[in-house]
Amino acid sequence: MIVPTATLEVRTAELAGRYHSGRAAAVTEAVVENSTAENTVAESTEPVIAPAPAEAAITSEAELRALLGEPMERAVTKERVRLKPIDRRWLAASPLCFLATSDELGNCDVSPKGDPAGFVKVLDDTRLAVPERPGNRRADGYHNILRNPHVGMIFVVPGRAETLRINGRARLVRDAAYFDDMVVKGHRPIMALEVEIEQIFFHCPKAFLRSSLWKPPTWDPDQLPPHAAIVKSVQWTRESLEELTEYYGASYEKSIYVTKK
């Protein structure tokens, strides 16, 4: 079965309306008007797997603890509220973090933030700042922060299986003196996310070990289509596949620090 992308995108526009009702309406109108045979998305033909029955649901902390058991003492006592020297070294070596946010209704978002290693600026033992670079301007996580300042962050160092977790309260700032220290390829940050640390600890390496994430023999990126083909397969776009392929081609990486109109 082929489902017109216009139908699918109406719901997306409705969700986007949580932040940009006017823009969402314009997108919906454009999608409906411009939907063509080229811009259709095939409905999945994969078999449907039934979810777990209601009686299998875990609905209380007591049930959860009965299943998992109690955490070991070392896992409980590792929480801290201030950066130690090793935390600063980890942040200096990390080129990537994942930022988790939620609005006041519980709508969640996780967004990757990346730059050359050490891109996060440590302001003092309880505060750090994350630069914002040009992106797609959805700003889902930032909209959430304006409604609910609580954030969770995971900092990754390539080749290392453990991660550094930081939870705290965030605010958005348009400028600060330290922006001059966050210039990359001649570009200052658009803005920054300042985080006041409320909890910090190192997360054990089991997930990365189980996934063999850093072992090159397990990598097979070509099993999936190029990004342009993925975009065209899941959403309506004004651009043709050829135009998207050119957009995400060799010049794309050269423009990642340039704000596009």
Side-chain angles (χ1 to χ4, degrees):
M1 175 181 179
I2 299 297
V3 181
T5 312
T7 302
L8 303 178
E9 289 296 327
V10 167
R11 177 56 179 157
T12 301
E14 289 173 351
L15 293 174
R18 179 159 59 101
Y19 302 138
H20 307 292
S21 57
R23 174 59 179 163
V27 169
T28 302
E29 181 180 353
V31 167
V32 172
E33 179 180 349
N34 291 283
S35 182
T36 64
E38 180 186 1
N39 286 300
T40 57
V41 177
E43 190 177 61
S44 174
T45 58
E46 296 296 321
V48 175
I49 299 174
E55 58 269 22
I58 299 168
T59 59
S60 71
E61 292 185 14
E63 290 178 294
L64 179 64
R65 280 294 160 213
L67 182 64
L68 297 182
E70 295 297 328
M72 66 178 67
E73 181 182 37
R74 188 169 63 253
V76 175
T77 61
K78 67 181 179 179
E79 293 185 19
R80 297 173 279 112
V81 296
R82 302 177 69 88
L83 294 169
K84 290 184 177 294
I86 187 58
D87 303 319
R88 289 173 174 262
R89 288 179 60 187
W90 191 275
L91 293 171
S94 175
L96 178 70
C97 77
F98 296 91
L99 172 70
T101 61
S102 169
D103 70 10
E104 76 281 12
L105 300 177
N107 298 296
C108 299
D109 183 78
V110 176
S111 178
K113 302 295 179 183
D115 246 343
F119 73 103
V120 168
K121 181 74 172 176
V122 175
L123 304 181
D124 57 37
D125 285 346
T126 61
R127 295 181 302 142
L128 52 81
V130 182
E132 173 63 9
R133 305 297 181 184
N136 60 19
R137 298 188 287 273
R138 281 184 59 99
D140 296 302
Y142 294 147
H143 282 286
N144 286 345
I145 288 167
L146 292 174
R147 293 163 169 79
N148 172 12
H150 296 280
V151 300
M153 309 174 78
I154 290 182
F155 290 88
V156 177
V157 172
R160 293 298 294 255
E162 65 268 64
T163 55
L164 182 64
R165 287 175 53 172
I166 294 180
N167 299 319
R169 297 173 64 89
R171 68 169 185 157
L172 305 175
V173 295
R174 62 170 54 91
D175 199 7
Y178 62 78
F179 277 31
D180 291 337
D181 300 328
M182 305 169 92
V183 173
V184 176
K185 296 185 177 181
H187 296 278
R188 293 177 96 244
I190 297 173
M191 61 180 189
L193 175 75
E194 290 187 353
V195 178
E196 183 178 353
I197 298 170
E198 295 180 328
Q199 183 187 55
I200 178 172
F201 57 89
F202 281 95
H203 193 108
C204 77
K206 290 180 180 178
F208 280 68
L209 294 175
R210 290 169 180 147
S211 67
S212 298
L213 180 65
W214 302 124
K215 296 181 179 179
T218 70
W219 300 349
D220 185 15
D222 293 333
Q223 67 178 300
L224 297 170
H227 185 60
I230 292 176
V231 171
K232 200 61 179 176
S233 72
V234 298
Q235 70 181 89
W236 175 86
T237 66
R238 297 181 185 277
E239 301 90 348
S240 67
L241 177 58
E242 291 72 22
E243 290 171 325
L244 288 173
T245 299
E246 181 179 359
Y247 177 81
Y248 291 114
S251 63
Y252 185 77
E253 186 173 353
K254 297 178 181 178
S255 64
I256 57 177
Y257 289 97
V258 178
T259 301
K260 297 182 178 180
K261 302 298 184 181

